[in-house]
Amino acid sequence: MIFKGIKVSEGVAVGKCRVIRDTFSLEMYAIDNVEHELERFKKATLEVKNDIFETIDKFENGKGVEGIDIQVFKAHAQIIEDPMLYSEIYSRIKEQKKNADWIIKEVVEDIVAKFEKSENELLKDRAIDIKDVGYRLISNLNNIGLDELKNVSGFIIVAEELTPTQLLHLAEEGVAGIVTEKGGITSHVAIFSRSLEIPAMTGIKRIIDYLSDGDIVVIDSEKSEVLFNLTDKELRRYLFLKRQYDKIRKKKKSTRTMKSITRDGVEISIGANIQLSTEINKMKEYGIKNIGLFRTEFLFMDRDNIPDEDEQYEYYKKMAQTFDGESIVIRTLDAGGDKNVKGINDIRSENNPFLGWRGIRICLDRPEILKTQMKAILRAAKHTKIKILYPMVSTPIQMDKILELFDEARAELIESKVEFSDNVEHGVLLEVPSAVLYMDYFAEKVQFFSIGTNDLLQFLLAVDRMNSRIANLFSWYNRALYMVLKEIVEKAKRYSLPVQVCGELAADPRSLPVLIGLGITELSMTSSSVPKIKLLIRSVSVDECKEVAEKVLSYFKYEEIKDFLSEKFKEFMGREEFLNEMSEMWEGK
Amino acid sequence: MPESKVKIINKLGIHARPASMIVELCSKYDGDIKLEANGMHADAKSILSIMMLAAEKGTAVKISVNGTSDDEGVLNRLNEMFEKGFGEE
């Protein structure tokens, strides 16, 4: 049988299942001694509260469990004391003279019903926190432990839903997978399983009715399926799939500690392109030491006001602190083009937004926006080295204005006696062809260059790459682009300034040897591309990359270049045994 | 009675985590601290009543503080929490 669900954590799992049911078969009965029942309830509340605080203490003493946010248990400690719960239970026991566990069940059900009625998905998900507290109280009153969660190493847990308390126990068990009927992608189960890398699916209605303990279950997150009653042949196929999946994941992670150096020992630094501070975890997983491009637009989008200096400072600071790497490249607000920022620009009013009011052009017309951002960056530079990258710069005058604004921003911070650091550098994002031709001017003003290959190529070819009618005119395998890159690298070298490639081209495996051959030593890309690019870097030498680049520049047609680079790519891939094994990792991605 | 109006800016709105941060602060004070959103009122010391506001991103919230030892101070700190999106995205 096949059930479709919502994938909340990736992976393939095959294993026996353990079905966790709500095992409370409670009975309602009348009580004579109300005082005694109230005492039982108070004692249970106290004991459960102490248990929760014990967990919190454990976390605060650094003995936390991965995948569990301690604030959840702080919330539980508040729920148990909440008048809507505590006082309500207390007074109902008094009035109705029924057993405490029954009343608890009723009150919890009432509150949960209100939550689950909500159209807010998140609120629905959080009904589980109230149930958790309720279960704990009832379990305490009935001396029920969490035995069903013991000895489940290697099992797939199947449940209607799982509470944070249950997850806390499962964390120590090493389960193979989790399937629940309820819970969305923001549920505790989802967060927990993702951070522990356990395959998990939710939203599969009534699955516990179909399964018994010990049944063999398969989770295939790729297809968002949970399967059981499979033939031996099918099971073997899934076991194979699981091994493949685990191997790739392990391989990706195994690159974490590898150095990014060519066969002949030249270091090619790889940074990450990110737009959310939460992406830093992924960076750590792959051992990435630099943020090569932090796009700040996200901070400005989906809101009604422009974030002020303090808010931006807090955000950059948090980033600098969670990431303990070497430096962060922060690109100043790059609105326009295809990005609308409420209260700043409206691309619908422009005929040609990609050539219109965007990037630094907006910021220089609205200098307070740029100055605020500069001040926040200067303050955050106390915590790490920050390189400020200016997008869409196309003339020398713009560069002068940027630096004037920067001096003003700095002077204003001094005047208002706010602490900051001068541990910052300036850089131009080379994406407008004219900027490349003005590099001699910029070189006197900035400390680094970065190449935005997507826009650079689009402007170079005058091709809108979203327009399918002319898509055949757009290609990375392009002599015009390589010639410009060559020019950039040579100019940068003349002025002894570093230059980095941060566009999509940096993560294109076929282009990589050309970039290295042209003399590029700094790349930045999305984190998930880093493992494979790193492996490729390790399998080539700078000398042969130079040969590749030279050869490529002798071709004039896209097709010739692409064929040649594809052939070379195959050759490099075939070199190391591990690269061969990893061919799956490259496919399509 | 000091009052303010704030907007929820964090992506997930006031779910358990932000609600528990609010309660953590407000429980330290005697007096009335109320939140109002979506036409409902909540006691800022009750995590369940705050969560029941089901206040999502973009919702306007009215905060009122009355009878604590430092009404303005409490109000400012609550405003700040909202403005910083409870330290979330």
Side-chain angles (χ1 to χ4, degrees), chain A residues 69 71 75 78-79 82 84 111 114-115 120 122-123 126 130 276-278 302 304 311 314-315 318, chain B residues 7 9 12 15-17 19-21 23-24 46-49 51-52 54-57 83-84 87 89:
Chain A
D69 176 5
Q71 196 71 33
Q78 293 168 352
I79 290 171
D82 197 290
M84 279 176 74
I111 300 173
K114 283 186 195 154
F115 273 66
N120 180 331
L122 196 69
L123 198 63
R126 288 306 176 263
I130 298 143
L276 291 175
S277 61
T278 45
D302 293 324
D304 291 329
E311 186 184 337
E314 288 295 333
Y315 199 88
K318 197 178 102 194
Chain B
K7 206 155 219 183
I9 59 160
L12 299 180
H15 57 102
R17 195 178 161 281
S20 78
M21 290 167 70
V23 174
E24 221 173 319
S46 158
I47 183 167
L48 293 175
S49 91
M51 283 166 76
M52 274 189 198
E56 297 182 74
K57 182 180 174 181
E83 280 158 16
K84 292 197 173 142
E89 300 294 343

Side-chain angles (χ1 to χ4, degrees), chain A residues 298-410:
Chain A
F298 188 85
L299 264 167
F300 291 75
M301 284 160 93
D302 293 324
R303 55 189 290 164
D304 291 329
N305 57 346
I306 297 169
D308 64 13
E309 181 190 317
D310 283 346
E311 186 184 337
Q312 289 190 51
Y313 164 63
E314 288 295 333
Y315 199 88
Y316 304 146
K317 182 178 91 174
K318 197 178 102 194
M319 253 177 43
Q321 285 170 342
T322 25
F323 138 90
D324 43 9
E326 288 152 11
S327 65
I328 305 180
V329 176
I330 296 183
R331 183 176 70 186
T332 57
L333 177 67
D334 191 14
D338 54 357
K339 282 172 288 209
N340 254 344
V341 176
K342 213 168 169 183
I344 297 184
N345 69 319
D346 184 0
I347 50 178
R348 286 165 304 183
S349 67
E350 297 187 49
N351 280 332
N352 211 340
F354 273 96
L355 297 180
W357 202 48
R358 56 180 294 205
I360 205 69
R361 299 168 180 180
I362 294 178
C363 285
L364 290 176
D365 287 348
R366 301 270 308 266
E368 75 285 357
I369 296 175
L370 185 58
K371 239 158 69 175
T372 304
Q373 200 165 17
M374 286 167 160
K375 284 192 209 169
I377 290 172
L378 274 164
R379 288 169 62 187
K382 282 183 302 184
H383 307 282
T384 192
K385 177 169 188 173
I386 299 182
K387 301 175 164 186
I388 317 176
L389 182 62
Y390 304 103
M392 281 301 287
V393 175
S394 57
T395 70
I397 299 265
Q398 288 173 328
M399 197 64 239
D400 292 352
K401 281 195 183 149
I402 290 167
L403 295 177
E404 271 167 38
L405 281 175
F406 182 79
D407 289 340
E408 281 174 34
R410 199 177 166 280

